[in-house]
Amino acid sequence: MLRHLWICSLSLLVSPSLFAADPSFHRHDINLDSTFPAAAAIDVNEDGRLDIVSGGWWYEAPSWQKHFLRNVQEIRGRYDDYSNLPLHVNGDGRLDFISANYRSESIFWIENAGPDVDEWPTHKIETPGHMETGRLYDIDGDGRLDLLPAGKEFAAWWSIVPGPPAAQGIQSATWNRHDLPIQLAGHGIGFGDVDGDGLGDVIGDKGWAKAPLDRSSGQWEWQPEFVLPRDASIPILVHDVDSDGDADLILGRGHRTGLYWLEQQTNDGERDWQMHAIDTEWSQLHSILLADLDNDGRNELIAGKRYLGHDGKDVGEYDPMVMLAYQFDADSCTWQRTVLDWGSRAGMDLDPKAVDLDADGDLDLLCPTRGGLCLLENLHVNEAELSPTAHTEGTFVDYPDHTDVSVVRDVTGELRAIETPDDAGLRRAHILAGMQQAMGPLPGPEMRVPLDAESELIEETENYQRYRVTFASAPGERVIAWLLMPNDLTDRASAMLCLHQTVPIGKDEPAGLGGKPNLHYAHELANRGYVCLVPDYPSFGEDAFDFEAAADRWQSGSMKAIWNNIRSIDYLETLPEVNPDRIGVIGHSLGGHNALFTAAFDQRLNAVITSCGFTEFHQYYSGDLKGWTSLRYMPHIASEYGNNPDRVPFDFQEVFAAIAPRPVFINAPIEDSNFEIKGVRAVVQSVEPVYARLRSRDFQTIRLETPNVGHDFPPDIREAAYEWLSEVLR
């Protein structure tokens, strides 16, 4: 299934500043019908211009006229073309290319026979097993590029010694396999000098392999110094991010959410690695690049979204496509983000390229995806630098009824029914823009300062240890939280972000929060083996946050709390005891609101439990939006929308639609005087079709409990929520 043509003109529908593309890149839609995930730049017709090859076709520069190249096998719905790696294989002076493939499990090279041959020959090298793709590096230091595939069940590299021109059907080069430590098998591979000895090492998702002096026949030494997410990007980049003289690592999450770097440090003479989140607004960052896009002598980190890597089964797959560039700011230790393209077909599936296609002195971006083949032409010649772009301010896409999540605006601005998951992904982008219209902009990577975490052990209980922790959330701001770490963990555990009505803290209270037992779910979940983090709400508890003094940065307490919660997830992901793929959020009352708000923005949250936390805006008391208008919450709603809740730029139906299809457990008491049960039921009824459209797993994705109590989270409902959580957070 391909995206609809409307997506090419998405800029008509969103705020210019909301998802602004850098004007110094011009997109060319080479072939929007292409479904090949790899591409390369090769001068096919020997006219001195680089042409594009991708899958079964080549595209002649500069008009990009399409020509047949070869027949590509289709296996179980996907073309067997997982990489296009240019290399002189047969010594005839023409660039050939290599493909390492998943479904055929084979490595082969495609012989460049020139533009006048009906079909370029394909030569199989070996069938070593499943490979998502591969990359070329000079692994043995002999000045020639070698092949390093990303093997799922094997780990090896191939040296390639070119031979004479090939006769038909005869392989013309010598391909030598060199096995690596099997621990490198998995998802994610990289190459670079990790330890500074001048030799290139191989990096995997479970550690790295130190190169021997004789890389061809020596023993590679396994170094289990870190564990990366199990969907680490291909490649994992080795790069001295902070210019301190040692190699750091950069990776994206290929099937989940986020872009990260691991800082290499030395503690007590031992190498140590500190994980930092770069950006977690985007998912499916399967391939990443380093390239100097603005000719300033510094490499940018380039990331782009993959199109339907798991055919819609991963969170965020249907969100609009995006192309991004990042520059590291050494003074703040943060990253500045530039949006190169948003909402078109341009992305980075398995084998994108940064190459000067038009020979004008700067690097262009070749962007192949299963949703189309695009080129981002770089117009930066003689410009000093990329321009950082925010995408979180300005106007938004308005809807006449924000409780109706069955429609989306098309390219003309007219409403039409949501018909496909792509439509739902576009509406999600509009929803997040509306939430920011009310709450203020979500901070970008430039606010993601190092966590600088500190912790103090307060209590050891029978089942867990309780720590008081603090960590940086933004420049000059810190989060105060309680960490409950279960005893005797034997494997990486599920984790819960626990959002409470914060009250004065006493050391004798079981959860470190005090108050009513219905707020002690962190204590109860920690007893069940969950790692629990309980941050203060800004200006409550120990966090004496002054919103008036910070009004220039935070337009609402809600956005400040959301950002603190996002940074709390960052902190949880740094803990070796936590499984980053099993993090959920739970909250009661104010915490219930913020559990939903945070999950809407952050797709790393895989399950949500909300108690006494929402209803339709127009169901609030007498239309005055009581409870939302102070600096602690959303004062902008009062100033802009006054007594007209129907015009608030988002509603809870939309919040749930932005969370879908992730599972949500709702406790909505019938006698709750804060939230009318009919409003809760209306929200659930409206959003169920969204879940049905996006559902890819077999458990119940929305569960509603309506106990006959007041504003409470009673014990039997909490117990039901915990049982539900054990099913969905797995």
Side-chain angles (χ1 to χ4, degrees), residues 663-664 691 695 697-704 724 728:
V664 181
Y691 272 80
R695 183 179 294 124
R697 290 182 283 184
D698 57 3
F699 52 74
Q700 186 178 6
T701 48
I702 303 179
R703 177 167 170 179
L704 173 62
W724 172 89
V728 301

Side-chain angles (χ1 to χ4, degrees), residues 316-457:
E317 283 200 62
Y318 291 110
D319 289 344
M321 301 293 283
V322 68
M323 287 290 296
L324 306 156
Y326 301 83
Q327 290 179 327
F328 184 74
D329 186 313
D331 293 333
S332 63
C333 291
T334 61
W335 297 75
Q336 304 294 317
R337 177 179 60 204
T338 300
V339 179
L340 305 179
D341 191 78
W342 184 89
S344 74
R345 305 287 186 86
M348 290 165 54
D349 268 19
L350 296 179
D351 191 12
K353 299 292 193 301
V355 60
D356 188 1
L357 262 168
D358 50 9
D360 67 349
D362 54 27
L363 293 174
D364 310 298
L365 295 174
L366 187 51
C367 306
T369 76
R370 290 177 66 217
L373 174 64
C374 297
L375 167 66
L376 293 187
E377 180 188 359
N378 192 342
L379 308 176
H380 276 99
V381 174
N382 299 321
E383 292 190 13
E385 58 184 11
L386 293 174
S387 303
T389 53
H391 71 228
T392 54
E393 301 175 297
T395 59
F396 70 104
V397 180
D398 196 13
Y399 284 79
D401 180 2
H402 287 279
T403 68
D404 183 1
V405 290
S406 68
V407 296
V408 66
R409 287 199 183 276
D410 65 16
V411 292
T412 69
E414 297 296 320
L415 290 175
R416 62 173 176 79
I418 290 176
E419 298 176 348
T420 70
D422 285 336
D423 293 344
L426 176 59
R427 181 66 192 272
R428 179 175 185 272
H430 296 168
I431 290 167
L432 297 183
M435 293 176 68
Q436 291 170 84
Q437 182 76 4
M439 301 177 181
L442 180 73
E446 72 283 350
M447 290 273 277
R448 228 172 192 129
V449 294
L451 288 168
D452 186 28
E454 299 176 354
S455 64
E456 176 188 4
L457 178 62

Side-chain angles (χ1 to χ4, degrees), residues 674-691:
N674 289 348
F675 308 104
E676 292 190 28
I677 189 64
K678 67 179 181 180
V680 175
R681 286 179 170 142
V683 170
V684 173
Q685 182 178 6
S686 295
V687 82
E688 280 179 339
V690 179
Y691 272 80

Side-chain angles (χ1 to χ4, degrees), residues 47 78 81 186 207 209 223 273 305 310 459 530 556 600 666 728:
D47 66 351
R78 297 208 184 189
D81 185 53
Q223 310 288 327
W273 300 89
K305 195 172 182 298
H310 278 164
E459 178 189 19
Y530 292 85
S556 72
I666 304 165
V728 301

